[in-house]
Amino acid sequence: MSYVTEVYDNLQKKHPYEPEFLEAAKRILDSLEPIVSANEEVYRKNALLERFVEPERIITFRVPWTDDKGVNHVNLGYRVQFNSAIGPYKGGLRFHPSVTQSILKFLGMEQTLKNSLTGLPIGGGKGGSDFDPHGKSDAEVMRFCQSFMTELYKYVGKDVDVPAGDIGVGGREVGYLYGQYKRITNLYEGVLTGKGLTFGGSLARTEATGYGLVYITNEMVKAAGKDLAGKTVVVSGSGNVAQYAIQKAHELGAKVVTCSDSNGYVYDPNGINFDVLCQIKQVERGRIKEYAKRVPGSEYHDGEKPWGVKCDIALPCATQNEINGADARKLLDNGCWCVAEGANMPSDADAIDAYLAAKILYMPAKAANAGGVAVSALEMSQNSERLSWSFEEVDKMLHNIMVNIYNNVATAAKKYGYEGNFVVGANIAGFEKVANAMLGQGVV
Ligand code: NDP
Ligand code: 2IT
């Protein structure tokens, strides 16, 4: 039995109730086969894969909070400190009812490789809660964040573990979490990223994931001899990543005709209006169906996803497994020739098989959405030197980082005999640095 299969079989036995984690681990391990077989003896001797697949530490805690009517609630809180071989744990916090340890372990493992791809010194972590911020007042969200941090502060710090946002955690939540950390510890330090601009946040962090997604898509499209300008793009989601992917895609001359939330999607043949979208989602915290009421010519499709809409390029920016095999075949049948993932693991295994079989351009999440955490690492640097850089400086660095990621992923794929397969390329390019750091630091 191959080393990779052996490790995966063992993992399955140990964690039978963690389907999302097992799915992510299987996909990653399978695509590491070429680098693992080239280094099998040394990896086995150092139990490298056995260590790589287990988080260094998982912290779980209860989060009690009181709603505006005085009713008490208890949610679950987590932080998965996955891998610190190349830097302090780094990764977002997700507040969503679907959050479980399995989902956070899958995200932590992905994050470890993603952070390595950025070329910056950040390890991998992820955390969050099954708390649902939808429909909660600002005061309720604040009390929840304060309670969450009252436990989490013991385990994080600027050189230990630096959380940020993810689904359900944006600037408002990061601000409340930061305020409570500072109040408890009396430390004014960069313990979180995605902070407000008046208290250590980096310019361009809000835009970074969406912009980075479009920068790497552009690089991949150019390398294939094509151009983003004039192309039709389908986006899912309407949160932080989707909003700034839409803005940047329009700036580069493409036309984004859809966006969505968990209730349905809107189709706007004239291109999604960024200002209306931001008014609904950032200011009013409303539902995407409002868009169709305000923008003449647009349509709302309740209960549907946008994958049946004809497009050149698809940018899934909502959540995991939002494109299954049948959705992928619909995209391909309608002529889609490029998929780049803003969300984490939005395409299921069947969908990825369909992309690879059709040989379309496909950039997986850990490379495509790495711009967010890359600018988070730049925020950490700015906090350390107590200076802040201009929007243009940060944006230029982000652009360079995404171009480097594209080149490293494409080169690794080619080096191991999988030219054009960016799944293999991204996993191997990310893993190589983490593996070498783990080997160099001994069996810990
Ligand atoms: P937001 O909370 O800002 O937005 C999430 C969007 O996705 C909303 O439109 C939401 O709709 C939709 N969504 C969430 N869960 C589901 C679901 N189960 N089914 C259908 N739609 C859903 O989050 P972000 O934009 O920050 O995150 C989006 C994705 O990008 C996630 O996969 C995240 O992990 C990933 N990501 C985020 C980064 C960042 O910097 N923020 C960096 C890298 C990746 P609704 O409001 O109805 O729930
Ligand atoms: O999935 C991700 O990369 C994020 N949610 C961003 C993490 C971060 O630390 O900025």
Side-chain angles (χ1 to χ4, degrees):
M1 196 189 286
S2 80
Y3 183 27
V4 156
T5 312
E6 220 176 284
V7 169
Y8 180 71
D9 285 354
N10 227 323
L11 202 64
Q12 230 178 352
K13 285 190 197 117
K14 282 191 197 163
H15 307 291
Y17 304 114
E18 297 188 343
E20 297 86 0
F21 173 60
L22 288 174
E23 182 186 344
K26 176 147 183 47
R27 291 200 213 172
I28 289 170
L29 285 170
D30 281 349
S31 67
L32 293 179
E33 186 80 58
I35 189 173
V36 172
S37 51
N39 298 279
E40 182 156 342
E41 203 184 323
V42 68
Y43 284 6
R44 269 189 189 272
K45 185 163 162 256
N46 288 278
L48 184 79
L49 289 186
E50 291 86 338
R51 289 188 291 133
F52 174 73
V53 296
E54 287 294 341
E56 290 175 19
R57 190 177 300 106
I58 301 177
I59 297 135
T60 73
F61 48 95
R62 66 173 187 234
V63 189
W65 60 281
T66 307
D67 70 22
D68 290 344
K69 297 194 179 99
V71 179
N72 294 319
H73 302 265
V74 180
N75 284 97
L76 297 173
Y78 305 87
R79 186 71 182 164
V80 177
Q81 297 184 329
F82 210 97
N83 191 301
S84 63
I86 65 171
Y89 310 106
K90 180 83 197 85
L93 296 172
R94 177 176 292 190
F95 291 171
H96 192 273
S98 64
V99 163
T100 59
Q101 180 166 297
S102 168
I103 289 194
L104 296 176
K105 280 176 68 179
F106 119 61
L107 290 164
M109 193 180 215
E110 284 281 298
Q111 196 82 45
T112 299
L113 299 178
K114 179 195 306 189
N115 292 3
S116 168
L117 283 174
T118 66
L120 299 165
I122 39 178
K126 201 85 189 189
S129 173
D130 59 355
F131 174 75
D132 186 358
H134 286 109
K136 304 288 190 300
S137 69
D138 279 355
E140 288 172 330
V141 169
M142 181 176 75
R143 286 196 293 277
F144 177 81
C145 289
Q146 290 175 342
S147 181
F148 185 87
M149 185 51 90
T150 301
E151 186 60 28
L152 187 69
Y153 88 94
K154 299 165 192 166
Y155 310 101
V156 296
K158 71 176 169 51
D159 297 315
V160 179
D161 184 353
V162 183
D166 192 79
I167 293 177
V169 178
R172 174 182 63 171
E173 290 74 16
V174 169
Y176 293 150
L177 291 162
Y178 185 74
Q180 185 71 351
Y181 179 85
K182 181 168 68 67
R183 178 194 199 185
I184 297 173
T185 62
N186 210 25
L187 294 171
Y188 205 105
E189 62 172 33
V191 65
L192 289 149
T193 57
K195 299 183 292 298
L197 297 177
T198 51
F199 51 97
S202 174
L203 285 161
R205 173 62 188 90
T206 306
E207 294 82 356
T209 311
Y211 279 19
L213 171 66
V214 176
Y215 291 150
I216 199 167
T217 304
N218 193 29
E219 214 49 36
M220 172 166 70
V221 164
K222 276 195 314 187
K226 301 186 180 187
D227 196 342
L228 265 189
K231 301 301 179 297
T232 301
V233 180
V234 160
V235 164
S236 66
S238 50
N240 172 265
V241 180
Q243 289 160 17
Y244 293 97
I246 291 170
Q247 189 188 42
K248 184 55 74 175
H250 284 165
E251 229 175 274
L252 298 188
K255 185 161 74 174
V256 180
V257 292
T258 66
C259 62
S260 68
D261 60 23
S262 54
N263 295 117
Y265 79 88
V266 286
Y267 171 71
D268 186 344
N270 299 315
I272 295 290
N273 183 316
F274 175 76
D275 294 333
V276 173
L277 175 64
C278 291
Q279 172 66 26
I280 294 169
K281 286 293 171 182
Q282 293 182 10
V283 181
E284 300 166 23
R285 296 183 186 272
R287 307 308 299 162
I288 204 62
K289 66 176 177 220
E290 288 301 316
Y291 184 97
K293 293 184 192 155
R294 291 182 205 182
V295 180
S298 67
E299 306 158 2
Y300 176 62
H301 296 258
D302 193 46
E304 287 180 47
K305 294 177 181 180
W307 313 126
V309 174
K310 191 173 164 47
C311 66
D312 298 293
I313 297 168
L315 303 176
C317 296
T319 193
Q320 64 272 2
N321 293 332
E322 55 172 317
I323 305 183
N324 61 26
D327 298 325
R329 280 182 285 279
K330 261 192 270 175
L331 282 168
L332 295 169
D333 288 347
N334 279 330
C336 172
W337 49 266
C338 174
V339 177
E341 299 180 332
N344 283 307
M345 209 170 79
S347 310
D348 79 2
D350 288 347
I352 295 174
D353 288 345
Y355 307 150
L356 295 178
K359 293 196 178 318
I360 62 164
L361 299 176
Y362 167 55
M363 190 55 73
K366 64 176 68 68
N369 70 33
V373 76
V375 173
S376 278
L378 301 180
E379 183 169 323
M380 289 164 71
S381 299
Q382 293 169 77
N383 292 165
S384 293
E385 65 171 11
R386 297 186 192 285
L387 291 173
S388 45
W389 308 334
S390 71
F391 189 97
E392 290 68 29
E393 281 175 293
V394 178
D395 188 36
K396 195 168 166 209
M397 283 188 240
L398 168 65
H399 185 263
N400 286 341
I401 289 168
M402 298 315 294
V403 171
N404 283 338
I405 293 176
Y406 174 76
N407 289 331
N408 291 341
V409 166
T411 305
K414 195 167 172 191
K415 177 175 161 194
Y416 285 92
Y418 286 79
E419 188 166 1
N421 181 332
F422 301 143
V423 178
V424 170
N427 282 321
I428 291 185
F431 179 73
E432 212 162 15
K433 181 175 169 192
V434 176
N436 289 339
M438 287 176 75
L439 291 173
Q441 292 170 32
V443 182
V444 291

